[in-house]
């Protein structure tokens, strides 16, 4: 028995030795990772059901019932409560609550839709963009639109809208782009439209029946970069204060507005102006040399007025001038430098030995008429 116990003891010690030898080679548990921030829960889509979208549903259904013809079927899918799926309707998170979905824009441009704009339109209180140009909407803009306090762009051009200028527009705090052209609006265009409190950046009011005053307290108070009043009736003269718009004005179009005025030299302060169209009016006197200081000017159109004298050479040497129209006046001289303007129209003037000019009889008759005298306010002083 004793002889057998020794080998067993020896085997036991050998097994223990092998275990100690192999222990470092056995797989060890990995260390615990350092704590990290828990991942943010995935963002959930905004619910298509809330009070604002319910109000929008009411507005769109009322609008659909006010439409009498929709040849392109743009409003055919204006059914059901999911207004964000309607054609021409755009939704996003509400600016005052990113957890709420709301209607931010409506675009029915070029739809040729006939009908009117219902009072319920004011329920779209979060709309920033309302584009309705090239349709057949008639009537007026509903006063309920005064609740669109976020409205930034309003384009209702090329419709059949009528009535006085919608006064509530001047109280919309975010409005920057206003396009009313090619409608039947009439009456006075209020001074507040040009006021710094409203602060429009672009105003298109042409081809309506508005009456506009050119007093120094109205138009020239504007901070707009674009003002288009073509084919409306403007009362008064171009005031010297026109230079006060130098910081912002880029485009001024006053063609066919019945202006009877001189062009004040202060217009040369408009160094940011790129487009100036004063054609088809009753402007008299001479082109001021100061226009040659308008270094950004690309288009100058003073055609079909009663301007006379010489075309200042500084105008034709403007570095960016691409289009010069002086046709239909009584200019008697034009510098050779004007020939380098890419697009130039100088027909029907009194420039000697120049093609396509007025008849000698017309030019002689004009030369013998009393010359225009310009007052300090920009108005023409009539002879006694």
């Amino acid at each position: 028995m004793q002889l057998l116990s020794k080998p067993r003891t020896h085997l036991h010690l050998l097994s223990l030795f092998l275990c100690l030898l192999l222990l470092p080679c056995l797989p060890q548990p990995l260390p615990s990772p350092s704590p990290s921030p828990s991942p943010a829960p995935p963002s959930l889509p905004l619910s298509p059901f809330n009070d604002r979208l319910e109000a929008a549903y009411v507005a769109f259904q009322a609008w659909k019932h006010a439409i009498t013809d929709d040849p392109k079927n743009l409003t055919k899918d204006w059914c059901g409560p999911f207004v964000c799926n309607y054609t021409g309707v755009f939704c996003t998170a509400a600016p005052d609550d990113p957890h709420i979905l709301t209607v931010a824009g409506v675009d029915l441009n070029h739809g040729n839709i006939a009908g009117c704009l219902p009072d319920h339109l004011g329920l779209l209180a979060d709309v920033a963009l309302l584009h309705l140009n090239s349709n057949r909407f008639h009537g007026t803009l509903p006063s309920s639109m005064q609740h669109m306090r976020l409205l930034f762009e309003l384009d209702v051009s090329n419709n059949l809208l009528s009535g006085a200028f919608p006064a509530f527009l001047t109280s919309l705090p975010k409005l920057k782009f206003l396009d009313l052209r090619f409608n039947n609006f009439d009456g006075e265009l209020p001074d507040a439209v040009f006021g710094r409190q409203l602060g429009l950046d672009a105003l298109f009011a042409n081809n309506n029946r508005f009456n506009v005053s050119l007093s120094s307290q109205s138009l020239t108070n504007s901070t707009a970069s674009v003002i288009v009043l073509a084919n409306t009736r403007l009362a008064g003269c171009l005031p010297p204060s026109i230079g006060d718009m130098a910081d912002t004005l880029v485009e001024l179009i006053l063609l066919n507005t019945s202006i009877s005025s001189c062009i004040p030299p202060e217009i040369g302060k408009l160094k940011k102006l790129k487009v100036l169209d004063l054609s088809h009016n009753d402007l008299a006197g001479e082109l001021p040399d100061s226009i040659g200081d308008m270094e950004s000017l690309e288009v100058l159109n003073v055609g079909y007025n009663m301007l006379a004298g010489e075309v200042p050479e500084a105008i034709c040497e403007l570095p960016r001038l691409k289009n010069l129209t002086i046709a239909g006046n009584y200019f008697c001289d034009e510098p050779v430098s004007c020939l380098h303007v890419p697009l130039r129209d100088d027909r029907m003037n009194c420039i000697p030995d120049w093609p396509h000019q007025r008849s000698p009889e017309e030019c002689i008759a004009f030369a013998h008429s009393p010359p225009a005298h310009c007052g300090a306010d920009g108005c023409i002083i009539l002879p006694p």
Side-chain angles (χ1 to χ4, degrees), residues 144-204:
S144 63
M145 289 176 63
Q146 65 186 301
H147 300 299
M148 295 180 171
R149 309 301 290 174
L150 301 180
L151 191 60
F152 183 83
E153 289 187 12
L154 175 61
D155 182 357
V156 293
S157 61
N158 197 22
N159 277 280
L160 303 173
L161 298 169
S162 59
F165 178 86
F168 66 85
L169 292 177
T170 62
S171 66
L172 296 180
K174 301 292 186 181
L175 190 63
K176 295 299 177 185
F177 180 98
L178 178 59
D179 193 343
L180 304 176
R181 57 187 158 175
F182 294 101
N183 279 286
N184 295 314
F185 291 112
D186 57 22
E188 294 292 327
L189 197 61
D191 289 351
V193 174
F194 306 104
R196 295 177 183 268
Q197 182 175 356
L198 179 58
L200 285 177
D201 182 60
L203 171 64
F204 300 87

Side-chain angles (χ1 to χ4, degrees), residues 33-162:
S34 59
S36 59
S38 57
S43 59
L44 299 176
L46 298 179
S47 171
F49 300 101
N50 59 58
D51 291 344
R52 301 188 196 198
L53 293 181
E54 288 177 8
Y57 171 75
V58 173
F60 285 122
Q61 294 310 303
W63 196 354
K64 185 173 183 178
H65 282 89
I67 290 174
T68 57
D69 187 27
D70 182 4
K72 297 183 180 180
N73 290 321
L74 295 182
T75 62
K76 183 178 180 180
D77 63 359
W78 284 18
C79 300
F82 302 106
V83 297
C84 297
N85 292 335
Y86 290 3
T87 296
V89 176
F90 303 93
C91 295
T92 189
D96 60 329
D97 188 345
H99 304 292
I100 293 180
L101 194 64
T102 191
V103 176
V106 180
D107 187 345
L108 297 176
N109 283 350
H110 305 283
N112 198 25
I113 298 171
C116 63
L117 303 176
D119 287 337
H120 297 79
L121 212 59
L123 293 173
L124 303 174
D126 292 329
V127 162
L129 306 177
L130 184 57
H131 292 171
L132 305 177
N133 80 54
S134 302
N135 287 287
R136 289 174 288 152
F137 290 116
H138 63 270
T140 61
L141 295 181
S143 59
S144 63
M145 289 176 63
Q146 65 186 301
H147 300 299
M148 295 180 171
R149 309 301 290 174
L150 301 180
L151 191 60
F152 183 83
E153 289 187 12
L154 175 61
D155 182 357
V156 293
S157 61
N158 197 22
N159 277 280
L160 303 173
L161 298 169
S162 59

Side-chain angles (χ1 to χ4, degrees), residues 103-370:
V103 176
V106 180
D107 187 345
L108 297 176
N109 283 350
H110 305 283
N112 198 25
I113 298 171
C116 63
L117 303 176
D119 287 337
H120 297 79
L121 212 59
L123 293 173
L124 303 174
D126 292 329
V127 162
L129 306 177
L130 184 57
H131 292 171
L132 305 177
N133 80 54
S134 302
N135 287 287
R136 289 174 288 152
F137 290 116
H138 63 270
T140 61
L141 295 181
S143 59
S144 63
M145 289 176 63
Q146 65 186 301
H147 300 299
M148 295 180 171
R149 309 301 290 174
L150 301 180
L151 191 60
F152 183 83
E153 289 187 12
L154 175 61
D155 182 357
V156 293
S157 61
N158 197 22
N159 277 280
L160 303 173
L161 298 169
S162 59
F165 178 86
F168 66 85
L169 292 177
T170 62
S171 66
L172 296 180
K174 301 292 186 181
L175 190 63
K176 295 299 177 185
F177 180 98
L178 178 59
D179 193 343
L180 304 176
R181 57 187 158 175
F182 294 101
N183 279 286
N184 295 314
F185 291 112
D186 57 22
E188 294 292 327
L189 197 61
D191 289 351
V193 174
F194 306 104
R196 295 177 183 268
Q197 182 175 356
L198 179 58
L200 285 177
D201 182 60
L203 171 64
F204 300 87
N206 52 290
N207 295 82
N208 283 281
R209 291 178 289 149
F210 286 127
N211 297 317
V212 184
S213 171
L214 284 178
S215 71
S216 59
Q217 275 69 45
S218 58
L219 174 68
T220 58
N221 280 334
S222 176
T223 58
S225 62
V226 177
I227 298 177
V228 182
L229 299 174
N231 302 309
T232 58
R233 289 191 59 83
L234 270 62
C237 312
L238 288 175
S241 59
I242 194 170
D244 295 346
M245 297 188 285
D247 291 338
T248 56
L249 195 61
V250 174
E251 184 172 331
L252 179 63
I253 299 185
L254 303 179
L255 74 92
N256 192 30
T257 51
S258 304
I259 302 174
S260 180
S261 173
C262 297
I263 302 177
E266 288 81 2
I267 201 168
K269 296 179 181 179
L270 303 177
K271 296 185 184 298
K272 293 183 179 180
L273 197 69
K274 294 182 178 181
V275 179
L276 177 61
D277 192 338
L278 302 174
S279 62
H280 295 275
N281 285 296
D282 293 315
L283 300 177
E286 299 185 356
L287 278 180
D289 293 336
S290 61
I291 294 180
D293 297 330
M294 299 165 68
E295 54 196 26
S296 300
L297 197 62
E298 298 177 6
V299 177
L300 175 61
N301 189 344
V302 293
Y304 303 97
N305 281 285
M306 302 289 288
L307 298 168
E310 300 179 0
V311 177
E313 187 167 13
I315 293 177
C316 296
E317 293 177 346
L318 285 168
R320 293 182 173 85
L321 190 63
K322 300 174 182 177
N323 190 324
L324 174 64
T325 300
I326 60 172
N329 284 285
Y330 291 90
F331 291 110
C332 61
D333 193 16
E334 181 180 11
V336 176
S337 57
C338 294
L339 299 177
H340 301 294
V341 179
L343 294 174
R344 176 179 54 88
D345 187 356
D346 55 13
R347 296 170 296 165
M348 298 297 294
N349 279 285
C350 296
I351 304 172
D353 303 320
W354 216 252
H356 309 296
Q357 299 297 294
R358 295 182 184 274
S359 68
E361 292 77 15
E362 283 184 277
C363 293
I364 291 172
F366 181 83
H368 285 84
S369 62

